[in-house]
């Protein structure tokens, strides 16, 4: 009998410091240094010729969509630089010259590779052939594509219940791939379709659906240019969505005001030099935030309530601060909201926020005289236990001001990954959409499941409990993106089979089920030809516009396949070519996929043609002030309670953040130059008073502990960095601190992790 091998896999790589160099935080984002860094990274990874060819086509009319964030492309993009530093790094990362295949994995075991850091793993390069990690083996081996599809199919057929399979989706996927994937999962018999939105913007979808009737933002890109006031809440656009700064700059030049609401004063919202503007580059650039409110972590409801109370009080005197006509015609719950606000006193709310009353009054006076108001937000709002309520309190401000459903006003949740919104639009969801199911029956001729499936939190628990046995992952780095790293690792290792469709190696390929498949796929920039015909894909931006993406670079290998083809061939193999859907045909012709998207998915119409150029907007009821699907046919005001973290005397609230050299869990480098951190990631940003109270000093080495439900979790070895952050608050990079986030503590209703408000203690170890 073959001896069972237990794989000794590290979840962190070797924990060691890499040589921190500290500098003063920067006060200007982008500019010449940003251009230099983008080109330096691109040239190093791709070479000069390939870099220039690709960069000049990224986000252009007949080019490919940036593989980074979901920020929309303007109608008239810059012909030479419609990309940002982060986008250039994302492109270089997927189009790198470095490749690894069977020979590499024969020389390096998964145990050995797991000792590398996430940064080092990413630097190894593109995976260029399909690979299998067999039971009781420590090395990936080559496998033929058809053999891989048959292996997956056999495992799926052996399950006693379709709900023992999980089909996870990353936001990097195209509409075409996501549609096929979601339809295959349903045809297989399950709604177990967790996705990356469950870990980031699910709170936005829930909050907006309940209040406005659609789980998406309501503004277009042009709306930002003409807004009178833009609130940027819980967001760091200078690092996470740098092209957004160009839109904010246009707003400023048109006379608009920017209000930043965030525990940290991030560089991109202090000052910006637009790389597309010669005058900006040679001159002083553009000052950005007119007002910065350094709100304490997760005290946004207190801040928004205080703003609302003051606006209501001003309106009581002048009767021209709130939009009463809009409220009467389109809003439900006004009188009850006034009663709710009356329960709170101004001084208590102000103390909770940690923001001076003078600054808050400045914001109130500005909002009182304006009606073209946009609220933008990201994970600083969405990853708390009360995340849905946080978002809804800001929606209350917009509703009372009538700043909904008209030009230059509305909601703008800024999505992270490039097509996370499109994935949901075309059917990636764990819940049941009855209208979608009816269209599936009508046009795809099969019976979809009618019971809800697992979201990400429930997926991890199901795998951990042995209720789910096959985990298929379309892109992403599930282990490092999810909360509670140790628990999630145990869940993955309980599976019989894990399948990863990926471009590059990451830790999720090393922490696997008993059998693991690594299936290499195209990058966004690579040319996809089927039977001599150049194919294109489509994506949806944060503002709901669908447009084409057409790769132009030679694929990394002749042995890789596109995501749509991988899904189609898997489905064709599973059903043995005997199904109402011609899966094989759709994998060969993406126009055919889009024709079914148009028939099955609400709002999509003639997509193959209308997505050309700069695409078309999907329908959005809020833009029409149409709230018929909500109670009383009106937008809903909400009554939200203040958080109660019940912090112990020695506890602080920690929020996880990105460095400037990363996108989601992909680590491009070891610098966070805007915050003054160079060549190191194991740092924790602390308030000076908190450092002194704990008898710590700058650069002390500490461990971070969280204690939930009697279970202590520890993230080891971080350097203490004094920083301008509210007292009682801390910040550190993810995924290094994701292990502190308990899997079973998450946002009410949306189930997003509480990654932005983790209760922790600090232990000095050196």
């Amino acid at each position: 009998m073959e001896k069972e091998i237990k794989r000794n896999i590290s979840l962190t790589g070797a924990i060691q410091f890499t040589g921190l160099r500290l500098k003063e935080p920067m006060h200007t984002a982008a500019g010449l240094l940003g251009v230099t860094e983008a080109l330096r990274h691109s040239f190093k990874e791709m070479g000069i010729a390939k870099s220039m060819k690709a960069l000049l086509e990224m986000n252009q009319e007949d080019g490919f969509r940036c593989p980074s964030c979901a920020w929309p492309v303007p109608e008239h993009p810059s012909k030479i630089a419609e990309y940002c530093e982060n986008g250039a790094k994302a492109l270089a990362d997927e189009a790198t010259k470095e490749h690894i295949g069977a020979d590499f994995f024969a020389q390096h075991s998964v145990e050995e590779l797991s000792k590398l850091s996430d940064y080092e793993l990413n630097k190894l390069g593109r995976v260029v052939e399909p690979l299998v990690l067999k039971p009781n083996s420590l090395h990936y081996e080559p496998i033929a594509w058809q053999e891989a599809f048959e292996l997956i199919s056999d495992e799926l057929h052996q399950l006693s219940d379709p709900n023992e399979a999980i089909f996870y989706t990353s936001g990097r996927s195209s509409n075409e791939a996501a549609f096929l994937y979601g339809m295959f999962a349903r045809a297989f018999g399950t709604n177990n379709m967790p996705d990356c939105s469950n870990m980031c913007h699910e709170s936005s979808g829930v909050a907006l659906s309940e209040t406005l009737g659609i789980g998406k933002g309501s503004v277009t890109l042009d709306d930002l240019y003409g807004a009178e006031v833009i609130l940027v809440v819980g967001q760091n656009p200078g690092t996470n969505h740098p092209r957004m700064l160009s839109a904010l700059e246009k707003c400023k030049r048109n006379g608009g005001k920017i209000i930043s609401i965030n525990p940290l004063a991030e560089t991109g919202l202090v000052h910006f030099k637009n790389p597309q503007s010669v005058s900006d580059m040679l001159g002083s650039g553009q000052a950005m935030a007119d007002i910065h409110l350094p709100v304490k972590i997760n005290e946004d409801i207190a801040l928004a309530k205080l703003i609302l109370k003051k606006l209501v009080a001003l309106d009581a005197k002048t009767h021209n601060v709130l939009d009463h006509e809009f409220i009467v015609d389109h809003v439900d719950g006004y009188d009850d909201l006034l009663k709710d606000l009356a329960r709170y006193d101004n001084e208590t709310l102000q103390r909770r926020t940690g923001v001076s009353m003078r600054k808050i009054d400045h914001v109130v006076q500005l909002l009182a005289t304006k009606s073209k108001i946009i609220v933008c937000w990201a994970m600083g709002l969405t990853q708390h236990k009360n995340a849905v309520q946080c978002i809804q309190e800001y929606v209350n401000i917009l509703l009372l001001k009538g700043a909904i459903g008209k030009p230059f006003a509305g909601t703008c949740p800024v999505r992270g990954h490039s097509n996370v919104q499109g994935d949901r639009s075309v059917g990636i969801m764990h819940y049941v959409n009855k209208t979608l199911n009816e269209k599936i029956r009508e046009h795809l001729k099969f019976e979809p499941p009618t019971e809800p499936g697992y979201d990400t939190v429930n997926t991890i628990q199901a795998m951990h409990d042995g209720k789910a046995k096959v985990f298929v992952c379309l892109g992403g780095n599930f282990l490092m993106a999810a909360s509670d790293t140790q628990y999630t690792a145990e869940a993955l290792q309980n599976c019989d089979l894990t399948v990863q469709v990926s471009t590059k190696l990451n830790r999720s390929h090393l922490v696997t089920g008993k059998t693991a498949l690594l299936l290499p796929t195209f990058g966004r920039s690579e040319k996809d030809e089927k039977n001599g015909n150049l194919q294109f894909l489509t994506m949806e931006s944060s503002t709901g516009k669908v447009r084409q993406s057409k790769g132009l670079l030679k694929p990394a290998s002749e042995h890789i396949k596109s995501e749509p083809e991988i899904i189609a061939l898997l489905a064709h193999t599973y059903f043995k070519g005997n199904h109402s859907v011609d899966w094989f045909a759709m994998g060969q012709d993406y126009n055919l996929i889009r024709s079914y998207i148009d028939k099955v998915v609400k709002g999509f119409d003639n997509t193959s043609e209308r997505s050309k150029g700069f695409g078309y907007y999907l329908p959005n009821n809020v833009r029409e002030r149409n709230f018929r699907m909500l109670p009383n046919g009106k937008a809903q005001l909400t009554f939200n309670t203040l958080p109660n973290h019940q912090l112990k005397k020695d506890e602080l609230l920690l929020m996880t953040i990105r460095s400037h050299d990363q996108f989601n869990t992909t680590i491009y480098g070891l610098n966070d130059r805007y915050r003054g951190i160079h060549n190191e990631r194991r740092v924790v940003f602390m308030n000076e008073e908190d450092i002194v109270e704990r008898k710590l000093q700058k650069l002390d080495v500490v461990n971070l502990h969280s204690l939930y439900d009697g279970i202590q979790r520890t993230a080891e070895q971080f350097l203490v960095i004094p920083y301008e952050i509210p007292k009682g608050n801390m910040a550190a990079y993810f995924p290094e601190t994701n292990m502190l986030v308990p899997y079973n503590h998450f946002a009410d209703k949306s189930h997003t992790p509480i990654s932005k408000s983790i209760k922790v203690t600090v232990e000095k170890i050196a």
Side-chain angles (χ1 to χ4, degrees):
M1 184 176 180
E2 186 178 8
K3 182 180 178 181
E4 182 177 350
I5 295 176
K6 181 174 176 59
R7 299 170 186 144
N8 184 20
I9 304 295
S10 170
L11 303 185
T12 61
I15 296 179
Q16 58 189 6
F17 297 121
T18 47
L20 171 65
R21 299 192 306 274
L22 273 178
K23 297 182 181 180
E24 285 295 313
M26 296 181 66
H27 298 292
T28 301
L32 183 60
L33 181 57
V35 173
T36 302
E37 283 297 306
L39 293 179
R40 182 187 66 80
H41 194 89
S42 299
F43 293 168
K44 180 180 178 182
E45 294 292 331
M46 296 188 289
I48 296 175
K50 187 177 180 182
S51 295
M52 298 312 297
K53 178 181 180 182
L55 288 170
L56 289 172
E57 290 297 325
M58 188 155 65
N59 290 327
Q60 297 302 317
E61 182 174 353
D62 200 38
F64 60 93
R65 279 290 307 276
C66 175
S68 183
C69 76
W71 190 252
V73 176
E75 293 292 341
H76 303 288
S78 166
K79 292 298 183 185
I80 58 171
E82 192 52 56
Y83 57 87
C84 65
E85 179 184 344
N86 208 309
K89 288 177 177 177
L91 168 63
D93 198 64
E94 76 168 27
T96 179
K97 296 178 291 185
E98 300 298 323
H99 295 165
I100 53 177
D103 291 344
F104 172 87
F105 287 97
Q107 297 173 25
H108 302 283
S109 70
V110 290
E111 290 183 340
E112 176 189 346
L113 291 169
S114 76
K115 296 175 183 177
L116 300 178
S117 68
D118 294 293
Y119 167 65
E120 291 169 326
L121 287 173
N122 185 60
K123 283 296 179 186
L124 293 174
R126 288 286 295 276
V127 179
V128 292
E129 58 183 309
L131 300 157
V132 61
L133 181 64
K134 298 177 180 178
N136 298 322
S137 176
L138 298 178
H139 291 263
Y140 273 101
E141 305 169 19
I143 185 173
W145 276 105
Q146 186 56 36
E147 187 180 349
F149 296 137
E150 289 170 358
L151 191 159
I152 301 168
S153 297
D154 289 345
E155 288 286 344
L156 292 176
H157 278 293
Q158 290 174 25
L159 297 177
S160 58
D161 186 323
N163 290 315
E164 292 179 338
I166 307 290
F167 298 89
Y168 173 82
T169 316
S170 160
R172 75 174 293 280
S173 302
S174 63
N175 289 334
E176 290 75 10
F179 177 78
L180 276 191
Y181 194 57
M183 293 307 118
F184 172 60
R186 291 177 175 88
F188 172 69
T190 186
N191 280 315
N192 287 346
M193 287 176 277
D195 72 321
C196 62
S197 185
N198 297 154
M199 293 186 276
C200 55
H201 265 286
E202 195 72 36
S203 299
S204 300
V206 173
L208 294 174
S209 294
E210 289 184 348
T211 55
L212 301 177
I214 187 172
K216 302 179 182 182
S218 65
V219 302
T220 68
L221 183 55
D222 287 346
D223 286 330
L224 281 96
Y225 303 156
E228 294 173 316
V229 183
I230 298 178
L231 280 69
V232 182
V233 189
Q235 185 191 359
N236 176 17
T239 286
N240 302 335
H241 318 91
R243 284 192 300 117
M244 180 179 175
L245 296 180
S246 298
L248 297 181
E249 181 191 41
K250 287 186 179 181
C251 174
K252 291 279 292 183
R253 294 193 186 282
N254 290 332
K257 302 294 184 181
I258 309 297
I259 300 170
S260 167
I261 302 175
N262 197 54
L264 301 176
E266 301 288 16
T267 299
L269 291 173
V270 175
H271 213 268
F272 171 58
K273 284 190 176 184
N274 190 340
Q276 299 172 1
S277 168
V278 175
S279 61
D280 264 19
M281 293 287 278
L282 298 179
S284 58
Q286 174 71 58
M288 295 301 281
D290 297 273
I291 309 169
H292 172 62
L293 304 185
V295 65
K296 287 186 174 182
I297 289 174
N298 198 216
E299 292 296 350
D300 288 276
I301 291 179
L303 177 61
K305 279 188 185 299
L306 184 50
I307 292 172
L308 280 165
K309 280 178 67 68
K310 286 176 172 286
L311 288 172
V312 168
L314 283 175
D315 186 73
K317 297 176 181 178
T318 66
H319 303 289
N320 63 0
V321 171
L322 306 182
D323 189 336
H324 290 280
E325 182 180 353
F326 176 81
I327 293 169
V328 170
D329 291 343
H330 297 292
V331 179
D332 202 15
Y334 177 67
D335 291 337
D336 288 336
L337 179 66
L338 295 187
K339 293 176 185 177
D340 176 71
L341 293 174
R343 296 172 50 231
Y344 302 90
D345 68 89
N346 290 8
E347 289 69 26
T348 299
L349 293 174
Q350 182 270 324
R351 281 196 301 271
R352 292 192 62 137
T353 69
V355 180
S356 72
M357 193 70 86
R358 178 185 59 81
K359 280 194 169 187
I360 294 171
D361 284 338
H362 190 179
V363 171
V364 170
Q365 290 298 326
L366 187 58
L367 293 175
T369 59
K370 309 296 183 185
S371 66
K372 298 173 183 175
I373 303 166
I374 293 174
V375 180
C376 303
W377 69 89
M379 260 91 87
L381 280 193
T382 65
Q383 292 185 320
H384 303 283
K385 180 171 176 52
N386 64 345
V388 171
Q389 290 193 332
C390 285
I391 296 163
Q392 290 180 337
E393 199 67 42
Y394 281 105
V395 173
N396 283 346
I397 295 175
L398 292 173
L399 289 174
L400 292 196
K401 291 294 297 179
I404 286 287
K406 66 181 184 181
F408 316 122
T411 57
C412 184
V414 184
R415 311 284 178 166
H417 225 320
S418 58
N419 197 45
V420 62
Q421 187 159 296
D423 287 355
R424 179 59 54 84
S425 293
V426 300
I428 296 298
M429 60 190 73
H430 59 278
Y431 50 86
V432 177
N433 183 313
K434 292 183 179 179
T435 301
L436 178 65
N437 277 3
E438 289 172 2
K439 293 291 185 179
I440 290 171
R441 295 185 189 100
E442 179 183 357
H443 297 289
L444 297 179
K445 309 299 183 184
F446 69 82
E447 184 63 33
T450 56
E451 295 298 319
Y454 295 137
D455 63 9
T456 295
V457 166
N458 291 323
T459 285
I460 296 169
Q461 291 177 288
M463 293 191 299
H464 199 274
D465 294 344
K467 296 177 181 177
K469 300 176 181 178
V470 174
F471 178 74
V472 185
C473 190
L474 187 67
N477 184 357
F478 184 83
L479 171 66
M480 304 313 290
S483 57
D484 212 334
T485 312
Q486 178 65 48
Y487 185 88
T488 301
E490 293 168 359
L492 289 166
Q493 290 168 325
N494 280 347
C495 292
D496 293 329
L497 173 67
T498 52
V499 181
Q500 305 281 341
V501 179
S502 305
T503 55
K504 301 184 75 177
L505 190 68
N506 62 51
R507 201 165 301 277
S508 295
H509 306 133
L510 309 176
V511 180
T512 72
K514 299 176 182 64
T515 301
L517 284 168
L518 176 46
L519 305 181
T521 190
F522 285 17
R524 185 74 58 77
S525 59
E526 289 174 323
K527 187 182 298 185
D528 186 353
E529 288 188 296
K530 299 283 187 294
N531 303 315
N533 296 316
L534 184 62
Q535 304 288 321
F536 65 85
L537 299 166
T538 59
M539 292 91 200
E540 180 186 348
S541 71
S542 275
T543 54
K545 178 177 277 190
V546 177
R547 61 161 292 194
Q548 292 184 7
S549 179
K550 191 182 300 181
L552 77 158
L553 299 179
K554 181 180 178 182
S557 164
E558 62 182 11
H559 302 297
I560 64 176
K561 294 183 182 294
S562 70
E563 286 183 337
E565 185 174 20
I566 291 171
I567 300 160
L569 290 175
L570 170 58
H572 178 74
T573 302
Y574 176 82
F575 289 112
K576 298 178 170 47
N578 184 23
H579 192 259
S580 60
V581 177
D582 190 342
W583 301 98
F584 183 86
M586 288 210 276
Q588 300 301 306
D589 182 0
Y590 303 167
N591 282 319
L592 183 58
I593 302 175
R594 285 185 287 273
S595 72
Y596 278 100
I597 292 176
D598 292 341
K599 295 173 184 176
V600 172
V601 181
K602 181 180 178 180
F604 286 78
D605 179 43
N606 195 20
T607 301
S608 287
E609 288 300 317
R610 295 179 69 205
S611 62
K612 291 179 179 176
F614 294 101
Y616 70 99
Y617 281 106
L618 294 174
N620 189 301
N621 64 281
V622 180
R623 292 174 190 156
E624 307 299 325
R625 292 190 168 181
N626 172 7
F627 306 111
R628 287 196 300 268
M629 70 293 295
L630 292 169
N632 299 320
K634 293 185 175 183
Q636 302 293 298
L637 291 165
T638 50
F639 322 116
N640 306 302
T641 56
L642 300 175
N644 182 12
H645 291 286
Q646 298 181 325
L647 289 172
K648 297 176 182 176
K649 185 177 179 180
D650 60 341
E651 287 182 326
L652 301 166
L653 274 186
L654 171 75
M655 63 177 182
T656 65
I657 57 176
R658 291 185 196 169
S659 79
H660 194 64
D661 264 358
Q662 75 178 96
F663 183 75
N664 293 343
T665 58
T666 303
I667 314 300
Y668 303 137
L670 300 177
N671 297 333
D672 191 6
R673 69 173 189 273
Y674 287 172
R675 299 189 182 109
I677 306 298
H678 295 261
N679 201 45
E680 186 57 75
R681 290 187 55 81
R682 304 197 74 82
V683 297
V684 58
F685 300 97
M686 296 183 65
N687 180 281
E688 290 266 18
E689 292 183 41
D690 290 325
I691 292 173
V692 172
E693 286 180 5
R694 284 154 182 77
K695 297 180 172 56
L696 298 172
Q697 296 182 14
K698 179 180 179 179
L699 300 184
D700 275 352
V701 181
V702 298
N703 288 343
L704 307 177
H705 306 287
S706 69
L707 181 65
Y708 288 86
D709 306 315
I711 300 173
Q712 179 172 283
R713 297 167 174 84
T714 300
E716 297 179 338
Q717 295 193 47
F718 290 80
L719 295 166
V720 172
I721 305 296
Y723 207 78
E724 192 171 332
I725 188 171
K727 189 177 187 306
N729 294 170
M730 302 165 61
Y733 303 131
F734 71 84
E736 288 85 350
T737 48
N738 283 0
M739 61 183 60
L740 297 170
V741 186
Y743 73 93
N744 58 339
H745 286 255
F746 39 74
D748 298 331
K749 298 183 180 180
S750 68
H751 284 194
T752 58
I754 58 166
S755 302
K756 295 297 183 286
S757 53
I758 317 159
K759 295 187 289 187
V760 299
T761 56
V762 182
E763 175 199 14
K764 180 179 176 178
I765 59 174

